């Protein structure tokens, strides 16, 4: 079977020099995937720039990639609307 790894990102981990101050009241997100590292890279997408997680409209969870999502769930990945927040940076935790 697959080993599921969950990476919990805490927005207060943002660097102070870039964002001015920590944001202790902002939410924490999980990046689900197969073999994810600290920045949310998975076994499918693992280059230095592959740090964006995508939110599925149906299950409302962030996954490292659609392949991880389709492997770990019982439904196909459905992207959120372009006007909604649907991408999460695995490096800084910014949701867009």
């Amino acid at each position: 079977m697959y080993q599921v790894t969950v990476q919990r990102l805490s927005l207060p981990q943002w660097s102070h020099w870039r964002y001015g101050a920590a944001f202790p009241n902002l939410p924490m997100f999980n990046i689900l995937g197969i073999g994810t590292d600290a920045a949310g890279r998975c076994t499918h997408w693992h280059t230095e720039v592959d740090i964006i997680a995508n939110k599925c409209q149906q299950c409302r969870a962030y996954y490292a990639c659609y392949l991880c999502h389709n492997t770990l769930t019982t439904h196909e990945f459905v992207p959120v609307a372009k006007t909604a927040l649907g991408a999460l940076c695995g490096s800084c935790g910014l949701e867009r």
Side-chain angles (χ1 to χ4, degrees), residues 6-96:
V6 176
Q7 175 60 35
R8 189 177 235 1
L9 298 177
S10 173
L11 296 186
Q13 293 175 355
W14 290 3
S15 58
H16 293 279
W17 64 268
R18 186 168 178 188
Y19 296 100
F23 301 97
N25 297 323
L26 293 177
M28 294 171 54
F29 298 96
N30 289 328
I31 297 178
L32 305 172
I34 301 169
T36 56
D37 66 6
R41 295 177 195 94
C42 65
T43 57
H44 305 107
W45 298 89
H46 45 75
T47 68
E48 196 170 308
V49 296
D50 293 322
I51 57 172
I52 301 298
N54 299 299
K55 184 188 281 186
C56 175
Q57 175 68 36
Q58 187 169 342
C59 60
R60 309 298 293 167
Y62 280 104
Y63 282 85
C65 75
Y66 77 96
L67 296 168
C68 287
H69 174 277
N70 292 347
T71 301
L72 298 172
T73 63
T74 58
H75 62 274
E76 292 291 313
F77 181 81
V78 179
V80 296
K82 291 182 181 181
T83 57
L85 297 175
L88 179 70
C89 178
S91 177
C92 70
L94 182 65
E95 185 180 29
R96 290 203 174 231

